[in-house]
Amino acid sequence: MSANVLYDAPGPRARARNRLYGALSTVSILGLIAFIIYRLDDTGQFQAGLWDDYEYSDTHQRIVDGLLTTLKTFAIAAVLSLSLGAVLAAARLSDHRPVRWAATVVVEFFRSMPLMIMIFLLFAGVFTNDPMWALVIGLTLYNGSVQAEIFRSGINAVPRGQSEAAYALGLRKTQVMSSILIPQGVRTMLPSIISQLVVTLKDTSLGFIILYEELLFVGKAFAEQTKPVNGVYAFIPMVIIFGSIYILLCLALSSVATWVERRTQRSRKGSPPAMSTAGGAVTTGSAGGADGASGAHDPRTD
């Protein structure tokens, strides 16, 4: 009988069928990639001349400027969204019903609003002369609402007995939240918070729709302004170079989330508690602890 409680182990025919499906899927994907590469090469997208403009120092400086603008926008939006998320989460956990309802309406509204529309409305109606703040406020409202749900879920994941014991000791709700619930909930919510920050970083690319000179806008403008080679503009090199920058940035943040998750899992295990023996000696389950127990002073020998 299979030891796996979730599903039965596949038999020979099932394993052969799975290998066949895997081989067919691999061939199909490789065929699709080969067809795309062939079509791009057939239309002249891989001409060597399309890469010449990326060899100049002016091009490198424009890319660096766009990258710094993107990182600055992300940093501001990340701080503001985390702050807004904390405020909205506290409001949703409030004991006052009107405060909870108001916070729920705000969170659900901005979570449901398409981010591109929100950014464009902020730019057209409020920040006409300052596209950076239209992008930052749009990212803050959307991602702050998502972060609020992450905070609330992390706090609610703490066992109820923790807060009940704190209230029994006479602590106020503010003390319970700051001293008991939030420190324990951080372990649960921190990987999700960092993952949402990755989404915030990627969403900074929406600034190009309001002509904000972030990384994607710089790449698009550069591809349109470069001299075409045999009637072909350098859009594919732009996608490869600027897409690789976005991928590296997101991978860096994702690796932070993975590292944090591993650290929190390791810290939950901790070290095994010490056990007392009948004679009063303390053992830790190791060989050294056993030796220490055998060498303990016995008051009966005095």
Side-chain angles (χ1 to χ4, degrees):
M1 189 174 83
S2 174
N4 196 318
V5 298
L6 298 179
Y7 62 92
D8 292 333
R13 296 179 60 183
R15 289 197 297 269
R17 186 167 55 249
N18 293 337
R19 285 195 293 267
L20 177 61
Y21 292 157
L24 292 177
S25 300
T26 302
V27 171
S28 300
I29 294 174
L30 292 177
L32 179 61
I33 295 175
F35 175 75
I36 293 174
I37 294 175
Y38 167 76
R39 290 294 300 166
L40 292 175
D41 182 65
D42 188 54
T43 55
Q45 296 291 343
F46 292 142
Q47 299 179 76
L50 296 177
W51 297 86
D52 292 342
D53 292 324
Y54 289 94
E55 299 176 357
Y56 300 108
S57 58
D58 292 342
T59 303
H60 301 164
Q61 187 60 46
R62 291 177 63 182
I63 294 175
V64 171
D65 292 341
L67 175 61
L68 293 178
T69 302
T70 293
L71 293 177
K72 180 182 72 172
T73 304
F74 163 70
I76 299 174
V79 172
L80 293 180
S81 63
L82 290 173
S83 302
L84 178 62
V87 172
L88 292 176
R92 293 208 65 185
L93 294 171
S94 174
D95 293 333
H96 304 285
R97 185 175 300 176
V99 176
R100 290 200 308 270
W101 286 356
T104 301
V105 170
V106 171
V107 169
E108 295 301 328
F109 175 79
F110 287 114
R111 285 178 63 197
S112 303
M113 173 73 72
L115 182 56
M116 182 178 295
I117 295 177
M118 191 187 310
I119 293 172
F120 184 77
L121 290 177
L122 288 170
F123 173 70
V126 183
F127 303 100
T128 306
N129 298 322
D130 197 349
M132 186 195 79
W133 285 107
L135 178 60
V136 167
I137 298 302
L139 292 173
T140 298
L141 293 175
Y142 174 76
N143 291 282
S145 300
V146 177
Q147 296 284 17
E149 291 299 284
I150 295 175
F151 293 156
R152 187 174 67 90
S153 300
I155 293 174
N156 287 334
V158 179
R160 187 182 299 272
Q162 299 286 328
S163 58
E164 292 176 350
Y167 287 129
L169 293 175
L171 298 180
R172 297 188 300 271
K173 183 172 182 178
T174 304
Q175 295 174 317
V176 173
M177 290 287 292
S178 60
S179 302
I180 306 297
L181 298 181
I182 292 178
Q184 296 186 63
V186 163
R187 290 182 175 181
T188 303
M189 68 178 76
L190 197 55
S192 299
I193 291 174
I194 300 177
S195 298
Q196 187 61 33
L197 290 178
V198 174
V199 176
T200 305
L201 175 60
K202 293 190 294 185
D203 287 343
T204 57
S205 60
L206 296 176
F208 86 96
I209 66 174
I210 56 175
L211 306 180
Y212 179 55
E213 295 185 358
E214 43 78 42
L215 188 60
L216 181 59
F217 179 84
V218 171
K220 183 175 179 295
F222 182 77
E224 293 175 345
Q225 294 169 4
T226 53
K227 183 179 180 181
V229 178
N230 297 326
V232 179
Y233 287 90
F235 281 104
I236 295 302
M238 183 272 291
V239 171
I240 294 175
I241 292 176
F242 288 85
S244 299
I245 296 175
Y246 275 109
I247 291 173
L248 291 176
L249 291 176
C250 294
L251 286 177
L253 276 177
S254 299
S255 63
V256 172
T258 303
W259 178 79
V260 169
E261 186 175 5
R262 290 176 179 174
R263 291 282 298 183
T264 54
Q265 288 177 352
R266 188 181 306 131
S267 62
R268 283 195 194 102
K269 297 177 182 178
S271 57
M275 297 182 296
S276 298
T277 61
V282 177
T283 61
T284 60
S286 62
D291 294 339
S294 61
H297 177 68
D298 189 352
R300 291 175 299 178
T301 61
D302 294 339

